[in-house]
Amino acid sequence: MRQEQEFIDLLYERLAEMRAEAATAVRKALALAGNNAQARLERDVAVAEQSGVLAAVDAGESGLCFGRLAFRDGRDHHIGRIGIRRDDADHTPLVLDWRAEVARPFYLATGHTPMGLRRRRHITTEGRRVTALHDEILDLADTVRTGHEGADADAVLLAALDTARTGRMHEIVQTIQADQDRIIRAPHHGVLVVEGGPGTGKTVVALHRAAYLLYAHREQLARRAVLIVGPNPAFLSYIGEVLPALGETGVLLATPAELFPGVTATGTDTPRAAEVKGASAMAEALARFVQDRQTLPDPEIVIEHDDGELRLDAQMAMEARRRARETRLPHNLARPHFAFRIIDALTAQLTDRLGTDPYGGPNLLGADDIAQLGKAIATSREVHRAIEELWPALTPQQLVADFLAEPVHLPEADAEAIRRTGGEWTPADVPLLDEAAELLGEDDSAARAAAEAERLEQIEYAQGVLDLSYGSRTQEFEDRDDEDSEVLGAHDLVDAELLAERHEEADHRSAAERAAADRTWAFGHIIVDEAQELSAMAWRLLMRRCPTRSMTLVGDPAQTAEPGGCGAWETILAPYVGDRWHHARLGVNYRTPTEIMQVAAHVPRSLDPGFAPPRSIRSTGVRPWARRAGDLAGAVAEAVAQESREDGRLAVIAPRSRHADLLPLLPSASAGPAPDLTRPVVLIDPRQAKGLEFDTVLVVEPQELGTSDLYVALTRATQRLGVLHTGPLPAGLAAALPAEATAADR
């Protein structure tokens, strides 16, 4: 123990040195001066690199070293969250990063396949203090004993699983199991589906996979960023500390409702509306709706002009529309093509009228005359109003709002389900907005022209500054001949450009921050949790974000609850990759004790007698209970008070419609769309509970929950489970949990 404590002390000394070195490097980089783009680029790169080092060093502060590998050939390595080297000429490793290939035996070696190991040591720490050692003998010929050998190889894992929850998911680098390690280190390219029932660790495995990929493919993924999509804000808050604890901060976490920059989707849909909006048929309906906005005059539009009326008829507009559509460009990008055709046609109309030779000769107008007429028409407000009427410039928000106000190209029942005027955007609207953005495109020619005008203005201003700065040399310049003056003027212009560039605001945002603001960003890898819940339209959005199809999808079809959720992996992936995807299954339940899992399994089994839950490896000896109550809110408050005597976090999982009655009697509970999961008690609904875990769970009114929602609610507890209800228990659960009356209702 003393030897390991001395080593841990040495590590923290080296960590402090690394922190100081990185901080000094950042200060020096910021102090660098340079009058050219290359110097500024080098400065910015240095600041970014050293800031990344600082972030990794700070992340490694907790649980810096957790393992040690002793090989038969004499090699001896410590394993930790981040790699640390000595400050010597050879940069000798002190601690190996858990993601390094040489660290794999820590997770995979067994007595049958020792992978060259003599022994494996688990080091448990609290802060900077070593609290326990656990040695596993992998070479039976090794007779050396340390006194820390343990007969139970799973002792460290079980101790970690029995630890009280904190309201935040923790990394599991110390207890990664062999089946999890193989998924974490699976190849980067292609789609990997990780399926597992409740408690199998699929979410935390996916997060560690993100950390591993960022380690193994640093250059590529640091530039393109990794996107992690979670089901709700509570879930993202719950997992938010895992990757920073592993030294990785360049990751974007988002819910499906946050994937359209500039829109915050806080509204709610009915289940039926969400289902309709999520169906793939919406893509075709929106495409046809866009075409509906490319209209024809009925029968013509009369345009006032200085040289007489112009008539834009249906035939003229139809030909212009045909040619614009042939470009296959999105609506807004095809609009200039439509406009040019209309302007050309109107110019021809006016040319024929004004230049016709009364004696049948050729047109009397010359090329310059025709060009002037075309320019006048092209700048006519009345002409542009007519073009806007026939082919309007549209925004995604405008298009979707108009579509929802009058949903066309859908069956009437579906249209009625989603019809609305105004109101807040909902999560199911976000894929529609993204689809609309694809159909419309963004004509940024005006923005680019404005940016160029601004750049020239900055150069002109900079030139003025230089003229003032070198005013004393003006007479000298004027005394030179014309040729020299031209050369000096060009030189000064270049200097002015450099000066203007120096005053441009540099974009110091990380790749993840830039990706969050750019709808067209292509991520290097995407991880989707609760993937079975996403709709077909949501998958269209995500696939556009990852053209390389480098994805890790995590979920359990048995827990599909969203009305528009795809559920089956084949349904999700067939339109995009066919059958070219890999499937991995996690079958061991680390979270849910056997006593709770036996009860929970009755719920899906009531619909599917062949349902097989994941195998629990823990048993607490505490049986779940059910109580029937007359005063439901009072019974919940009583149960919360009683169960709160135990350590850890408690969740009351109830239908959303019950929260208003329950919350006043639970004054210490955190609730709402993004509850504080670090509070001792939280009040949430089953959808919010997805992916979360608590020491104690109280499920309220299970008969009001769907089968999938109830299965999710029952499998969130790591220690104790109680059920409170007023009516009969749902099928399956009644046989598993004979109800008793509460003390107040007996």
Side-chain angles (χ1 to χ4, degrees):
M1 185 85 76
R2 180 176 59 82
Q3 182 185 22
E4 296 295 2
Q5 183 63 63
E6 290 174 351
F7 180 78
I8 295 295
D9 293 340
L10 173 64
L11 282 184
Y12 279 103
E13 290 175 8
R14 177 62 186 135
L15 196 71
E17 293 173 359
M18 293 170 61
R19 184 181 289 109
E21 291 167 0
T24 300
V26 169
R27 287 195 298 271
K28 288 182 177 179
L30 289 172
L32 288 176
N35 61 354
N36 58 63
Q38 180 64 28
R40 292 194 303 278
L41 176 61
E42 291 175 356
R43 178 195 63 198
D44 293 344
V45 169
V47 170
E49 287 181 349
Q50 294 303 321
S51 297
V53 171
L54 271 174
V57 167
D58 290 339
E61 175 73 23
S62 176
L64 189 57
C65 175
F66 55 79
R68 185 173 183 176
L69 299 177
F71 288 86
R72 291 175 180 172
D73 61 9
R75 287 178 297 151
D76 195 316
H77 297 299
H78 282 84
I79 309 297
R81 283 188 177 82
I82 61 174
I84 298 179
R85 295 178 177 271
R86 294 181 186 273
D87 186 17
D88 57 21
D90 297 328
H91 298 289
T92 309
L94 277 171
V95 173
L96 297 178
D97 193 299
W98 67 275
R99 296 166 287 190
E101 186 64 23
V102 72
R104 290 204 76 180
F106 188 78
Y107 304 110
L108 298 182
T110 64
H112 181 68
T113 309
M115 301 179 70
L117 283 186
R118 183 168 55 84
R119 67 174 55 229
R120 172 172 48 205
R121 168 169 287 181
H122 295 265
I123 302 172
T124 303
T125 58
E126 290 182 7
R128 301 187 178 191
R129 184 171 62 89
V130 177
T131 58
L133 301 177
H134 183 90
D135 287 345
E136 297 176 62
I137 305 297
L138 296 174
D139 181 0
L140 298 181
D142 182 8
T143 59
V144 177
R145 294 295 179 266
T146 64
H148 299 292
E149 289 78 16
D152 186 0
D154 292 329
V156 176
L157 171 63
L158 294 174
L161 296 176
D162 283 331
T163 302
R165 307 298 100 175
T166 65
R168 293 287 184 266
M169 178 180 281
H170 294 296
E171 42 72 26
I172 59 167
V173 288
Q174 187 174 359
T175 57
I176 292 173
Q177 302 300 292
D179 57 339
Q180 297 173 330
D181 183 81
R182 282 187 282 271
I183 293 172
I184 289 170
R185 300 174 192 261
H188 169 214
H189 299 290
V191 177
L192 173 65
V193 171
V194 182
E195 182 178 337
T200 53
K202 54 189 180 294
T203 296
V204 71
V205 166
L207 294 174
H208 284 67
R209 174 164 170 76
Y212 171 75
L213 292 177
L214 284 163
Y215 171 85
H217 307 277
R218 176 73 61 191
E219 183 176 351
Q220 177 184 354
L221 294 183
R223 184 175 65 253
R224 300 309 312 166
V226 173
L227 170 64
I228 297 179
V229 180
N232 55 62
F235 175 84
L236 295 185
S237 174
Y238 179 62
I239 69 171
E241 296 178 2
V242 173
L243 285 167
L246 297 173
E248 299 298 344
T249 56
V251 175
L252 175 63
L253 276 66
T255 68
E258 299 170 325
L259 293 177
F260 191 86
V263 167
T264 302
T266 57
T268 56
D269 276 312
T270 65
R272 174 63 179 152
E275 182 179 10
V276 172
K277 290 179 181 180
S280 59
M282 289 297 296
E284 176 63 23
L286 284 172
R288 293 175 65 185
F289 188 65
V290 170
Q291 290 192 334
D292 290 347
R293 305 301 294 271
Q294 301 164 2
T295 59
L296 301 174
D298 184 22
E300 64 180 16
I301 298 175
V302 178
I303 301 171
E304 297 296 332
H305 191 268
D306 292 342
D307 295 307
E309 292 180 344
L310 298 173
R311 297 186 178 276
L312 201 172
D313 59 29
Q315 185 62 37
M316 185 187 301
M318 184 181 299
E319 176 61 17
R321 185 176 70 177
R322 181 184 68 80
R323 300 293 292 272
R325 287 178 176 177
E326 283 179 349
T327 66
R328 298 187 178 277
L329 291 171
H331 173 88
N332 288 335
L333 298 183
R335 184 176 183 270
H337 294 268
F338 176 80
F340 293 151
R341 297 290 176 184
I342 294 297
I343 291 169
D344 287 347
L346 292 175
T347 301
Q349 183 183 114
L350 192 57
T351 299
D352 288 344
R353 181 191 306 164
L354 298 179
T356 300
D357 185 345
Y359 302 105
N363 195 290
L364 299 176
L365 298 179
D368 290 342
D369 298 323
I370 296 173
Q372 287 298 320
L373 290 178
K375 182 177 180 180
I377 290 175
T379 56
S380 166
R381 291 183 179 179
E382 288 75 13
V383 170
H384 280 280
R385 274 196 288 267
I387 291 172
E388 179 67 19
E389 179 182 338
L390 300 177
W391 195 298
L394 298 169
T395 67
Q397 290 89 332
Q398 178 185 355
L399 183 78
V400 174
D402 290 347
F403 177 80
L404 294 176
E406 190 53 51
V408 293
H409 309 301
L410 291 174
E412 182 53 35
D414 291 348
E416 186 59 34
I418 66 173
R419 184 177 283 113
R420 78 158 191 258
T421 302
E424 297 177 311
W425 295 113
T426 71
D429 292 334
V430 168
L432 305 188
L433 290 167
D434 196 76
E435 190 74 25
E438 286 292 304
L439 293 168
L440 296 176
E442 182 179 359
D443 183 2
D444 62 351
S445 57
R448 285 189 282 108
E452 177 63 14
E454 183 180 359
R455 189 182 75 86
L456 293 175
E457 184 179 346
Q458 290 173 340
I459 292 174
E460 183 179 358
Y461 174 78
Q463 184 65 59
V465 172
L466 289 175
D467 289 344
L468 290 174
S469 300
Y470 299 106
S472 61
R473 298 168 57 193
T474 302
Q475 188 61 46
E476 178 185 351
F477 294 158
E478 291 177 350
D479 292 341
R480 300 196 179 192
D481 58 31
D482 292 341
E483 183 179 354
D484 288 337
S485 297
E486 290 175 0
V487 173
L488 286 168
H491 180 268
D492 284 348
L493 178 59
V494 172
D495 284 347
E497 288 179 318
L498 290 174
L499 182 61
E501 288 174 4
R502 287 188 64 184
H503 287 83
E504 289 179 359
E505 184 177 352
D507 190 348
H508 295 294
R509 296 176 300 169
S510 67
E513 291 169 330
R514 285 182 280 122
D518 185 353
R519 190 196 69 82
T520 63
W521 189 274
F523 287 92
H525 193 81
I526 293 181
I527 293 175
V528 185
D529 203 297
E530 302 295 347
Q532 76 281 350
E533 301 288 6
L534 269 61
S535 68
M537 290 300 293
W539 282 113
R540 288 176 65 88
L541 179 157
L542 284 176
M543 292 297 175
R544 282 193 284 266
R545 299 292 197 276
C546 192
T548 61
R549 305 292 189 260
S550 179
M551 293 181 160
T552 302
L553 312 185
V554 180
D556 179 14
Q559 297 183 60
T560 305
E562 293 293 341
C566 289
W569 303 121
E570 294 80 2
T571 304
I572 293 171
L573 295 171
Y576 306 101
V577 296
D579 59 357
R580 301 182 305 279
W581 50 278
H582 303 282
H583 183 271
R585 184 170 182 83
L586 295 169
V588 177
N589 188 334
Y590 299 100
R591 175 207 303 144
T592 318
T594 301
E595 293 83 356
I596 294 177
M597 203 63 212
Q598 288 175 342
V599 170
H602 280 77
V603 174
R605 202 171 282 148
S606 64
L607 299 178
D608 177 11
F611 173 77
R615 176 179 60 86
S616 296
I617 65 168
R618 298 167 56 242
S619 176
T620 60
V622 180
R623 291 286 301 170
W625 52 264
R627 294 175 189 163
R628 188 163 185 168
D631 176 12
L632 182 65
V636 171
E638 177 187 344
V640 168
Q642 180 179 350
E643 295 290 346
S644 294
R645 298 169 189 164
E646 303 290 342
D647 292 335
R649 299 298 187 273
L650 183 149
V652 177
I653 303 179
R656 176 62 59 178
S657 60
R658 297 282 181 171
H659 286 205
D661 294 333
L662 296 175
L663 195 55
L665 295 182
L666 303 173
S668 63
S670 178
D676 181 358
L677 300 177
T678 65
R679 294 275 291 275
V681 179
V682 296
L683 174 62
I684 55 179
D685 62 38
R687 304 292 170 88
Q688 290 177 296
K690 279 185 169 294
L692 308 184
E693 59 182 36
F694 305 89
D695 298 276
T696 303
V697 169
L698 298 176
V699 177
V700 179
E701 295 291 41
Q703 69 275 14
E704 296 179 10
L705 304 176
T707 300
S708 295
D709 282 342
L710 178 54
Y711 183 52
V712 168
L714 293 171
T715 54
R716 299 303 99 190
T718 65
Q719 302 291 338
R720 297 168 297 279
L721 171 68
V723 176
L724 292 152
H725 58 108
T726 57
L729 289 173
L733 197 57
L737 280 178
E740 60 183 56
T742 63
D745 299 315
R746 288 191 180 99

